[in-house]
Amino acid sequence: MINMSDSKKLIYAGKAKDVYKTAKKDEVLVIFRDDITAGDGDKKDNLKGKGECNSLISSKLFEVLEENGVKTQYINLIETGSMLSKKLDMIPLEVIARNIATGSLLKRFPFEENQKLDPPIIQMDYKNDEFHDPMLNDEITIALGLATQEELDEIRKITLKINEVLSNFLKEKEILLVDFKLEFGKDSEGNIVLGDEVSPDTCRYWDIHTLETLDKDSFRQGQDNVMDIYKQVCNMIVDEKDLERWDSND
Ligand code: TMP
Ligand code: ASP
């Protein structure tokens, strides 16, 4: 078992996850914390069990993506909350795919609320809290040295594939994938690989029948049942069999 109490091994602390070194130089351990934030961290809370829920959901969705030929950083969920992952050199982009017009898109552009977006919109924001994650275009991204045109084309292609795979998988679970944010990095061979997480913190999931929110919008809107929603969506996405399989990893 990897000793998490050795703080010297901490490589990076994000708003909701910590990344630790492991004995292998090309692997890291991602720990999902219970912290939840919104509005660049202005609104904060700590919800017991949220980290565990997100680690289970992310592991399951990374596995589904890998089964469908998408490269991810995921290696294994070694215990609930702790994901063994490939070490990536992260690209500071927030790659957002949108199937339905909602959220910040409505504040910035005259789309109709809940308008279907087909083909989906892919938007790239600069992951930079100081500048409040501004929206990019390819020229700005390239001029800032964040990625090359070839890398941007590849990221768009992978994002569309991820949208297709996850939309189909979640539909079977009676969840509508409204939009989501991805982060990519490069592995030691220079391949573009999906990193970070794919969870209710980073996606909009709606109940396919009622269109009710099943994600972090519940927290952004100040609802008092956020953890109930995270547990519900975790039960919808992760099967008993997945839990048994991960349990037997210990
Ligand atoms: P937005 O409509 O607020 O721009 O959000 C688009 C998607 O990106 C939504 O699924 C939530 C996700 N997201 C993040 O993961 N992190 C963020 O900081 C923001 C603002 C949105
Ligand atoms: N992720 C951002 C924050 O934690 C904003 C958001 O998700 O709404 O502050």
Side-chain angles (χ1 to χ4, degrees):
M1 187 51 63
I2 293 156
N3 179 10
M4 295 312 313
S5 60
D6 185 353
S7 60
K8 274 184 251 153
K9 291 184 178 169
L10 182 70
I11 301 173
Y12 172 82
K15 293 197 190 86
K17 295 190 297 302
D18 292 328
V19 180
Y20 288 85
K21 270 187 190 166
T22 69
K24 293 192 184 164
K25 74 171 183 2
D26 54 351
E27 293 182 4
V28 293
L29 195 65
V30 178
I31 305 296
F32 289 74
R33 302 198 316 266
D34 287 341
D35 297 313
I36 187 164
T37 69
D40 281 349
D42 282 352
K43 189 173 154 72
K44 286 187 193 149
D45 207 343
N46 185 276
L47 302 174
K48 194 168 167 7
K50 195 215 69 155
E52 294 196 348
C53 269
N54 277 6
S55 76
L56 295 170
I57 295 168
S58 269
S59 295
K60 177 67 187 181
L61 297 179
F62 279 149
E63 287 183 358
V64 169
L65 289 168
E66 288 279 351
E67 283 160 20
N68 284 278
V70 177
K71 287 196 186 80
T72 78
Q73 70 170 170
Y74 174 82
I75 299 174
N76 202 359
L77 186 69
I78 56 167
E79 62 184 0
T80 311
S82 312
M83 189 194 281
L84 188 63
S85 306
K86 286 168 212 148
K87 185 167 193 219
L88 301 180
D89 185 12
M90 294 306 289
I91 303 169
L93 295 176
E94 301 208 340
V95 181
I96 296 164
R98 302 180 186 269
N99 295 306
I100 293 178
T102 189
S104 69
L105 198 67
L106 298 182
K107 294 194 185 126
R108 289 166 161 172
F109 302 102
F111 286 102
E112 252 174 64
E113 189 169 4
N114 297 355
Q115 178 183 333
K116 195 169 187 310
L117 303 169
D118 189 12
I121 289 177
I122 296 183
Q123 169 194 335
M124 299 204 196
D125 293 352
Y126 183 21
K127 187 178 164 76
N128 184 320
D129 281 344
E130 192 190 337
F131 287 85
H132 306 290
D133 301 342
M135 194 187 290
L136 292 164
N137 65 20
D138 286 9
E139 286 77 5
I140 297 173
T141 307
I142 294 162
L144 283 170
L146 306 178
T148 64
Q149 186 64 62
E150 293 69 33
E151 286 167 347
L152 291 174
D153 294 345
E154 170 87 356
I155 286 171
R156 283 202 177 81
K157 202 169 113 195
I158 304 172
T159 300
L160 287 175
K161 166 97 179 177
I162 292 172
N163 187 36
E164 193 187 313
V165 171
L166 291 186
S167 293
N168 289 337
F169 173 79
L170 291 169
K171 197 169 162 195
E172 282 171 25
K173 308 287 182 186
E174 313 203 322
I175 293 170
L176 188 65
L177 183 59
V178 173
D179 55 32
F180 54 93
K181 183 266 298 177
L182 304 173
E183 293 183 27
F184 293 90
K186 284 192 252 177
D187 67 12
S188 51
E189 286 153 18
N191 298 306
I192 305 254
V193 177
L194 177 65
D196 194 46
E197 65 183 300
V198 185
S199 77
D201 273 14
T202 60
C203 304
R204 283 198 175 92
Y205 303 135
W206 289 355
D207 180 300
I208 215 161
H209 306 292
T210 63
L211 307 187
E212 256 173 289
T213 290
L214 298 174
D215 58 63
K216 190 167 141 184
D217 270 350
S218 55
F219 176 72
R220 295 188 187 99
Q221 294 157 4
Q223 293 184 29
D224 55 13
N225 59 343
V226 178
M227 239 358 268
D228 293 339
I229 290 176
Y230 273 62
K231 282 184 188 150
Q232 181 191 345
V233 81
C234 189
N235 286 334
M236 290 166 88
I237 292 175
V238 178
D239 296 333
E240 269 311 311
K241 274 193 226 141
D242 298 317
L243 298 176
E244 284 165 19
R245 187 165 46 81
W246 289 322
D247 255 355
S248 66
N249 285 335
D250 290 347

